[in-house]
Amino acid sequence: MGHMSGPYIIRGSVSLPEAELTWRFSRSSGPGGQHVNTSDSQVELRFDLAATEALPPVWKQRALERLAGRLVDGVVVVRSSEHRSQWRNREAAAVRLTSLLAEATAPPPRPRRPTRIPRGINERRLRVKKQRSETKRGRSGRDWT
């Protein structure tokens, strides 16, 4: 398993500053034997998005808008408790936070340019439509005397 205690890279040269991450540990409700009751393996990682200087202003603005629903006073909170060891949970939480931020700061997708329908296709459609209506009109047998 790769240990990534180093800087958490978001994208390119931008990374999460270790100093701005706040870790909290508490009892996990996840798997584990009797030991689980005494060890604080659940990890809560907080990152103050509103106050950080680590992100380029444009990214920060984007992230604040996109994560608006998740933020509590401008702070992103990520919890992890699926592993039994606190260390693995820390890794998981950090990875989750970086991918969350990478997603939130990604440039918006390019607007879709509608494709033009070739004239021939449109005309063919109308022609077939007219034929069909003729066929159906011929079925109502009111003209047969």
Side-chain angles (χ1 to χ4, degrees), residues 62-123:
R62 247 183 245 152
L64 284 170
E65 281 165 23
R66 293 201 191 153
L67 299 175
R70 283 200 58 155
L71 298 177
V72 184
D73 301 332
V75 178
V76 185
V77 181
V78 176
R79 276 196 194 83
S80 168
S81 59
E82 62 267 24
H83 299 294
R84 284 176 61 164
S85 85
Q86 188 192 92
W87 173 248
R88 302 244 307 268
N89 276 331
R90 287 180 69 153
E91 297 285 284
V95 169
R96 215 172 286 168
L97 182 64
T98 45
S99 60
L100 184 73
L101 286 174
E103 223 166 274
T105 57
R110 300 183 54 167
R112 175 182 172 274
R113 286 187 46 206
T115 45
R116 280 202 45 198
I117 297 169
R119 215 171 99 207
I121 288 184
N122 220 3
E123 285 174 2

Side-chain angles (χ1 to χ4, degrees), residues 5-96:
S5 55
Y8 302 111
I9 308 288
I10 297 175
R11 207 168 51 251
S13 60
V14 182
S15 60
L16 278 178
E18 195 75 51
E20 293 184 28
L21 300 179
T22 323
W23 297 92
R24 279 188 42 210
F25 307 102
S26 52
R27 302 246 172 97
S28 174
S29 60
Q34 288 88 330
H35 175 68
V36 79
N37 306 324
T38 56
S39 63
D40 295 341
S41 61
Q42 174 172 296
V43 171
E44 186 181 283
L45 174 57
R46 293 165 172 268
F47 176 62
D48 195 338
L49 186 57
T52 187
E53 295 295 316
L55 299 177
V58 189
W59 285 26
K60 189 165 145 179
Q61 201 50 48
R62 247 183 245 152
L64 284 170
E65 281 165 23
R66 293 201 191 153
L67 299 175
R70 283 200 58 155
L71 298 177
V72 184
D73 301 332
V75 178
V76 185
V77 181
V78 176
R79 276 196 194 83
S80 168
S81 59
E82 62 267 24
H83 299 294
R84 284 176 61 164
S85 85
Q86 188 192 92
W87 173 248
R88 302 244 307 268
N89 276 331
R90 287 180 69 153
E91 297 285 284
V95 169
R96 215 172 286 168

Side-chain angles (χ1 to χ4, degrees), residues 126-144:
L126 293 174
R127 212 171 38 247
V128 169
K129 209 171 148 164
K130 215 168 239 133
Q131 273 174 0
R132 172 78 50 214
S133 83
E134 285 301 316
T135 307
K136 288 191 170 187
R137 252 186 58 203
R139 284 183 192 152
S140 65
R142 47 192 164 75
D143 302 335
W144 297 4

